[in-house]
Amino acid sequence: MGLFFAQFWACQEDERDTDNALAPAWAKEVVWYQIFVERFYNGDTSNDPRPADIAGAYAKPLPVNWKTTPWGQDWYADDIYFPALDSSKDWNGNPINTFDAKLQFRRYGGDLAGVLQKLDYLDSLGVTALYFNPINDAPSLHKYDARNWRHIDINFGPSPAADQEIMAQENPADPRTWRFTGADSLFLKLIDAVHQRGMRLIIDYSWNHTGNEFWAWQDLLEKQEASAFRDWYWVKNWDNPTTDSNEFDYRGWFGVATLPEIKETQALDHAADIQAFEGNIYSQAVKDHIFAITKRWLDPNGDGDPEDGVDGFRLDVAAEIPLGFWRDYRKVVKELNPQAYLIGEVWWKKFPHDLLNPAPYLEGDIFDAVMNYRWYRAARSYFNPAPDSSSAKELIDSLISFSRNLRYGSSLALMNISSSHDVPRLSTSLYNNNLYKFDAKVSQDPRYKINKPDAYTLRKQKALLLHQYSYVGAPQIYGGDEMGMWGADDPDNRKPLIWPELEFQNESEHPLGLDRPSDVVVFDSTLFNYYRDLISMRRRYQALQKGKLEFLRDFEKQGLLVYRRTWEAEHLLCIFNNTGQTKIWLYPSAKADYKVVMSSAAMPERREDGGFDIAPLSGLILSY
C-alpha cells in the first residue's frame, strides 16, 4: 500500500532562528501546570482575605456579613451574604443580582503556602513548569486589576497587615524605595523550591491595564490634569471643577470600569476586531515602571545572576498592546536572562469564529511562543461531535495551515492549552456540543450541561489528551483537570481544587433553579494516573519533544488521524479514531517490530496480520 506523507515543520534550523530569536530549549521539553492561586490550596488560614482586602474589585461597600467560603461547599450553593448583594451595583452600574455576578465576591483563601505544601504532589504528577495566573497585589480573585505591580498579593503571603505597612513607606514610582514584603519573600522561597526540583516557573502580567485601586490611577482621580500620571492612561475627558457633575471619562478594557487602560501612541478600538499593530506605550515613565517590575522578578537580588528569579512571563491580552513595546520589552528581558520564556496571550481576532494568526508575534523579536488556542479548538472539533465538528482531513488541513509562517523553534515551544481560567474545563467543554467558548455557561444557555461529564465524554477526553501529548508543542494542564474536575466557562472554571484529603459536598444546586443530577465531588485517582502516564511518555521520548512530524494522509478517508514523530533512532506512530466504528490498522510492513507505547482505551493486542484494532473514539501510540 502506498502512503502519502504530508510533511511540515522539517526538522532543521530555520534561517530566522538566530541566538536572540530562539525560544529557550527548556520551553520545548516541559509539561506546563497552570495555577490559579486563590483556588489552589489554602496552606495558611491566618492570611485569609478580609473585607478591606477585596474592596474596590466589584462594588462598595461589601455586605457586613461577608466572609470566606468553606473549601468544600457545593459550588452552586448561595453564600450567606448573597441576598445582601441584590441591592448593590457593580462599577459599571449593573445590578449584582445573578449567581455569576455574586460569585465574583467569593474567596477561599488559596495562597503561596498552599503551593509550597503541594510541590510534592506536582512532582508526583511529573509536571516540569508552573504557570501562575497573576499574583500581583489586587483586590479581585483573578488579580488582573492590580493595586500595584511591584508586590505579591498581601493575602498570598504570611503577613497582610505588615505588608501594607511596608508598602505605605515606599514611593511606588521610585524603585529605589521598594522593599520586599512577607508575601514577596515567600514567593522568592517558592521560586527556590521550584528550581531545586528542576522545575521552571513563570508569572502572568497584564501591562495593558491596571485596576481602579492602582496607586497611579488613584492619584490621577484625585488630581485630574495636575497628576504626574496624567499621561499613563487613556483619559477621554477631564472633570470640570466648576460644575456639580463629574465629566471625567476614560477607557476601560472592553468597557470594564475597574480596568483603566494604559495609554498607547495610537488609539484603536479592539471591540470589533483585534490584530497586530505598530506603535508603543505613550509614556516613557510607564515603560520604565514596567521594566523595573520585570527586572525585580527576573533578578530579585540584583546581582546579575537570574537563578533566583522567575523563568519568564505570560503576557495578558498581548495583541492589544503595540508591537513596538513588545520589541523593547523582549530586549529588557533577554538582556537579563537569555533563557527567560516570553509567551503571549494571542487569542481572538473576532469572537466567536475568528482566531488571530500569531505569526507577527513569533518572528523572533517579540515572543518565544503564544498560547496555542488554535490547536485546541481544531482538535476539539475532531474529538467532539459539536456543531463545528471536523473530519480527519479538515483537522490535518487546519493544523498544517497553522504551521505556515511559523518558525520550527517557535512551534515546538507553543503552549498547547486544553483549558484554563478563561474557558470551560476540558471535560465540560467536551461534554457540551456548543461552539468553542460560545454560550458556554447556563447564564448564556440554560441547556448548557454543568453536571459531572459522563463516561462517553471521558473517552473523548482521554483520546484528545493522547493527541495533545504526542503533538508538536508543550502540553499544558489547567490545575484540577487531572483531578477529574469539571466546570463551565468563567466563573465555574474557577472552583477550588478537589484535593483527595478534603471532603466536599455533593454538587446538587443549579444556579437557575433547574433540575440536575446530584454529583459526588471527589478526586479521580484513575484520571490522575492517566495524566501521569502521558507526562512520563512525553518525557521519555525526545521525538515527542522536538521531533519531526509527518501526517499519513491515506487514512483520513477512514476518519483516522495518523501522524509520525521521529527523532534520530526514535520512531512513533500516533493513530486516532474519532468515529463510532472499530478500524483495523494495517501498516504496510506486518513484520515490523511495533510496540504499544500507550493507548487511551483498553490496551490493544497485535493481530496475526500485523494490524491493531483501533477502538472508537480512542488513540494509540506505537513505536517501531
Side-chain angles (χ1 to χ4, degrees):
M1 175 169 54
L3 294 179
F4 170 52
F5 290 82
Q7 180 176 329
F8 69 110
W9 290 330
C11 193
Q12 69 261 355
E13 292 298 327
D14 190 295
E15 63 182 7
R16 295 169 291 176
D17 282 339
T18 62
D19 288 343
N20 291 332
L22 283 171
W26 64 263
K28 307 164 189 176
E29 302 166 357
V30 297
V31 174
W32 290 100
Y33 190 91
Q34 180 180 346
I35 294 178
F36 196 91
V37 173
E38 215 285 317
R39 304 294 161 83
F40 185 74
Y41 187 66
N42 190 344
D44 179 2
T45 58
S46 71
N47 63 9
D48 286 358
R50 304 159 300 174
D53 299 330
I54 72 170
Y58 303 106
K60 293 180 180 179
L62 286 171
V64 293
N65 60 341
W66 182 92
K67 65 177 184 178
T68 56
T69 304
W71 201 273
Q73 175 180 300
D74 181 350
W75 175 257
Y76 294 103
D78 284 354
D79 289 72
I80 61 170
Y81 59 87
F82 275 15
L85 291 169
D86 288 333
S87 59
S88 301
K89 292 185 178 181
D90 65 19
W91 285 98
N92 285 83
N94 302 310
I96 305 174
N97 55 10
T98 66
F99 185 75
D100 282 5
K102 293 177 181 180
L103 279 181
Q104 302 302 327
F105 292 82
R106 271 194 187 165
R107 300 294 183 277
Y108 288 88
D111 49 34
L112 294 181
V115 180
L116 276 163
Q117 292 170 29
K118 292 298 184 180
L119 286 182
D120 284 345
Y121 168 86
L122 297 173
D123 240 354
S124 71
L125 178 59
V127 296
T128 50
L130 308 180
Y131 150 41
F132 283 77
N133 281 107
I135 54 176
N136 51 225
D137 192 45
S140 73
L141 66 97
H142 54 73
K143 309 302 177 191
Y144 289 102
D145 59 334
R147 275 187 296 240
N148 71 78
W149 285 323
R150 69 192 187 278
H151 290 296
I152 304 303
D153 190 87
I154 59 173
N155 297 118
F156 289 167
S159 50
D163 288 0
Q164 288 178 316
E165 293 178 2
I166 290 173
M167 288 188 278
Q169 298 170 16
E170 299 172 331
N171 177 355
D174 185 356
R176 295 171 299 180
T177 69
W178 299 350
R179 296 165 55 193
F180 284 109
T181 63
D184 297 340
S185 297
L186 187 61
F187 180 53
L188 297 180
K189 179 181 178 181
L190 175 60
I191 294 173
D192 181 64
V194 167
H195 286 171
Q196 290 294 328
R197 292 171 182 263
M199 296 180 182
R200 304 283 182 161
L201 180 155
I202 68 171
I203 54 177
D204 198 340
Y205 268 109
S206 180
W207 308 127
N208 179 75
H209 51 260
T210 69
N212 60 357
E213 297 291 312
F214 196 83
W215 55 272
W217 180 251
Q218 287 294 308
D219 186 272
L220 183 149
L221 288 178
E222 177 187 353
K223 300 175 183 176
Q224 293 286 301
E225 289 184 271
S227 172
F229 312 105
R230 57 167 292 164
D231 291 334
W232 282 37
Y233 294 93
W234 280 113
V235 176
K236 298 178 182 179
N237 198 56
W238 299 100
D239 180 38
N240 183 348
T242 64
T243 68
D244 293 333
S245 59
N246 185 357
E247 296 87 1
F248 182 71
D249 192 17
Y250 60 96
R251 278 178 56 166
W253 179 75
F254 275 84
V256 179
T258 54
L259 301 175
E261 282 199 288
I262 298 297
K263 187 176 182 179
E264 298 141 345
T265 53
Q266 60 173 312
L268 293 179
D269 181 6
H270 301 294
D273 182 71
I274 298 175
Q275 53 189 314
F277 65 104
E278 292 293 343
N280 215 308
I281 284 180
Y282 183 85
S283 168
Q284 185 62 42
V286 176
K287 292 179 63 176
D288 291 342
H289 186 71
I290 290 171
F291 296 159
I293 306 295
T294 300
K295 294 174 182 177
R296 176 176 175 83
W297 296 121
L298 280 174
D299 183 15
N301 64 8
D303 67 350
D305 181 358
E307 177 57 32
D308 58 330
V310 298
D311 298 292
F313 299 92
R314 183 265 191 186
L315 291 319
D316 186 57
V317 294
E320 296 165 44
I321 298 177
L323 297 175
F325 169 77
W326 288 129
R327 294 188 187 101
D328 294 343
Y329 190 74
R330 182 181 182 88
K331 292 175 184 176
V332 170
V333 169
K334 296 295 184 175
E335 284 177 3
L336 272 171
N337 183 359
Q339 290 302 303
Y341 178 67
L342 292 177
I343 178 169
E345 183 199 28
V346 177
W347 196 358
W348 294 104
K349 184 178 187 294
K350 187 175 183 179
F351 182 81
H353 297 291
D354 300 329
L355 296 179
L356 192 61
N357 184 343
Y361 303 91
L362 297 176
E363 286 295 319
D365 59 343
I366 296 179
F367 301 135
D368 297 308
V370 297
M371 303 178 80
N372 199 3
Y373 298 103
R374 296 195 300 173
W375 162 80
Y376 174 71
R377 187 174 71 165
R380 176 183 184 264
S381 296
Y382 175 77
F383 289 98
N384 192 52
D388 59 342
S389 59
S390 66
S391 65
K393 179 183 184 306
E394 290 169 329
L395 174 59
I396 293 171
D397 288 345
S398 293
L399 296 178
I400 291 175
S401 72
F402 296 162
S403 72
R404 294 193 181 111
N405 300 322
L406 297 189
R407 297 174 302 121
Y408 180 66
S410 293
S411 298
L412 291 171
L414 295 173
M415 183 189 289
N416 287 346
I417 180 166
S418 53
S419 73
S420 77
H421 63 293
D422 280 332
V423 294
R425 283 196 174 272
L426 175 57
S427 61
T428 298
S429 176
L430 296 175
Y431 190 33
N432 287 274
N433 292 334
N434 61 309
L435 292 171
Y436 171 63
K437 195 178 163 56
F438 183 70
D439 287 349
K441 50 187 174 181
V442 294
S443 60
Q444 298 170 335
D445 180 359
R447 299 168 299 176
Y448 195 83
K449 293 181 287 189
I450 59 173
N451 59 293
K452 181 178 180 179
D454 55 18
Y456 178 69
T457 299
L458 179 60
R459 191 178 187 91
K460 292 186 288 185
Q461 180 178 355
K462 292 176 72 174
L464 188 148
L465 286 168
L466 189 59
H467 167 55
Q468 179 186 20
Y469 281 77
S470 60
Y471 190 63
V472 172
Q476 169 263 10
I477 301 169
Y478 178 41
D481 277 1
E482 83 288 358
M483 299 177 173
M485 292 184 68
W486 63 90
D489 206 354
D490 176 23
D492 291 354
N493 51 16
R494 302 176 184 184
K495 299 175 185 177
L497 267 57
I498 54 173
W499 296 102
E501 73 273 18
L502 302 181
E503 293 186 4
F504 290 80
Q505 296 177 349
N506 285 6
E507 272 193 16
S508 57
E509 300 289 336
H510 192 288
L512 301 182
L514 304 177
D515 291 334
R516 58 155 296 171
S518 179
D519 293 313
V520 175
V521 179
V522 64
F523 184 92
D524 188 337
S525 59
T526 301
L527 186 59
F528 172 87
N529 288 332
Y530 182 73
Y531 270 87
R532 186 160 57 181
D533 290 344
L534 288 167
I535 295 170
S536 177
M537 175 189 70
R538 189 173 190 276
R539 294 179 67 177
R540 186 164 70 251
Y541 289 100
Q542 294 291 302
L544 298 181
Q545 299 175 30
K546 53 188 176 183
K548 178 174 60 177
L549 186 148
E550 300 167 303
F551 286 116
L552 280 64
R553 304 208 66 161
D554 271 5
F555 299 93
E556 62 189 26
K557 292 181 180 179
Q558 303 175 47
L560 296 179
L561 167 65
V562 184
Y563 50 88
R564 182 169 65 180
R565 299 298 306 273
T566 57
W567 177 261
E568 297 180 347
E570 293 180 359
H571 302 271
L572 299 176
L573 281 172
C574 309
I575 313 151
F576 300 90
N577 174 15
N578 79 335
T579 72
Q581 303 296 319
T582 298
K583 301 291 182 180
I584 307 302
W585 169 257
L586 288 175
Y587 200 68
S589 175
K591 297 180 180 180
D593 185 19
Y594 297 112
K595 296 179 181 178
V596 176
V597 173
M598 192 167 178
S599 173
S600 68
M603 193 64 71
E605 294 183 2
R606 190 176 182 187
R607 298 161 53 91
E608 291 183 0
D609 59 7
F612 291 90
D613 290 334
I614 308 301
L617 283 174
S618 72
L620 175 65
I621 309 295
L622 303 173
S623 67
Y624 63 99

